[in-house]
Amino acid sequence: MNKTYAIKLPTSVYIQFACLFLLIAIQLPNLLFWLRNSRPVAPIVISLAVILSLAAVASVQFFMFLRKNDRLEITENFIRISPMEAPLADIERIIVHGYFFQSIGIKRRGKRFVSFYFHFRFEDNEDEHVKEFLQWAGRNGIEVTHGRIIRWI
């Protein structure tokens, strides 16, 4: 069975990206305040470290955001969401999050979190495609759970 679906990024990716920039915007006035009153050096270093780490996470997410593919390909032996590919034996479970706007997370064996590339929503006919995808998972003996998708970057 070879099947291809159009997919898109889940809403949580956009929210996470906006929160990163909000945190940077909140931290910048703090840094400027400590730069004007330059007596203690520790708050300046801490503020700068926080801003740089948030900017690093935002830039990594932005480049992953640009590489995100818009196609899910299911074959007999693996699932491919470019640039990533997962053999069926490597899939531990499929997590469905949400009710009205369902996002799908594919958790691989030995991994603690769902990969950025394996967290997606279907582009059109979401309900129908989610049902087909979950039926396919059931036929292949992959566990399906409903709950929160924990993902890093």
Side-chain angles (χ1 to χ4, degrees):
M1 169 191 153
N2 289 351
K3 190 96 177 183
T4 302
Y5 297 99
I7 59 173
K8 60 184 176 181
L9 291 172
T11 309
S12 64
V13 171
Y14 299 107
I15 293 171
Q16 184 180 20
F17 204 61
C19 288
L20 284 171
F21 281 109
L22 181 65
L23 289 172
I24 291 171
I26 289 171
Q27 194 65 27
L28 278 174
N30 190 25
L31 177 64
L32 293 175
F33 171 77
W34 287 110
L35 282 173
R36 268 192 238 136
N37 306 329
S38 62
R39 296 225 171 145
V41 176
I44 294 172
V45 172
I46 291 171
S47 294
L48 194 58
V50 168
I51 289 173
L52 290 176
S53 63
L54 289 172
V57 170
S59 63
V60 166
Q61 186 166 1
F62 180 72
F63 287 116
M64 291 175 78
F65 192 67
L66 291 177
R67 288 183 56 192
K68 180 71 177 165
N69 194 2
D70 60 347
R71 199 180 60 165
L72 165 70
E73 182 182 345
I74 300 174
T75 65
E76 294 177 9
N77 301 323
F78 61 86
I79 290 180
R80 176 182 294 142
I81 303 174
S82 292
M84 301 292 287
E85 183 176 294
L88 292 182
D90 197 26
I91 298 173
E92 181 179 332
R93 77 179 103 144
I94 293 175
I95 306 166
V96 180
H97 179 250
Y99 182 74
F100 293 112
F101 304 107
Q102 295 180 338
S103 64
I104 307 289
I106 300 173
K107 185 172 181 304
R108 298 174 74 179
R109 293 189 196 282
K111 303 291 183 182
R112 184 172 277 181
F113 303 111
V114 172
S115 170
F116 177 83
Y117 296 106
F118 288 118
H119 185 206
F120 60 90
R121 283 179 52 198
F122 288 102
E123 184 75 34
D124 9 285
N125 299 332
E126 285 188 56
D127 294 334
E128 179 183 323
H129 292 317
V130 168
K131 286 179 186 173
E132 286 179 16
F133 188 70
L134 296 182
Q135 287 173 355
W136 169 84
R139 284 194 305 267
N140 288 300
I142 299 171
E143 177 187 358
V144 176
T145 61
H146 295 271
R148 297 194 65 199
I149 297 172
I150 301 172
R151 179 179 52 80
W152 172 245
I153 298 184

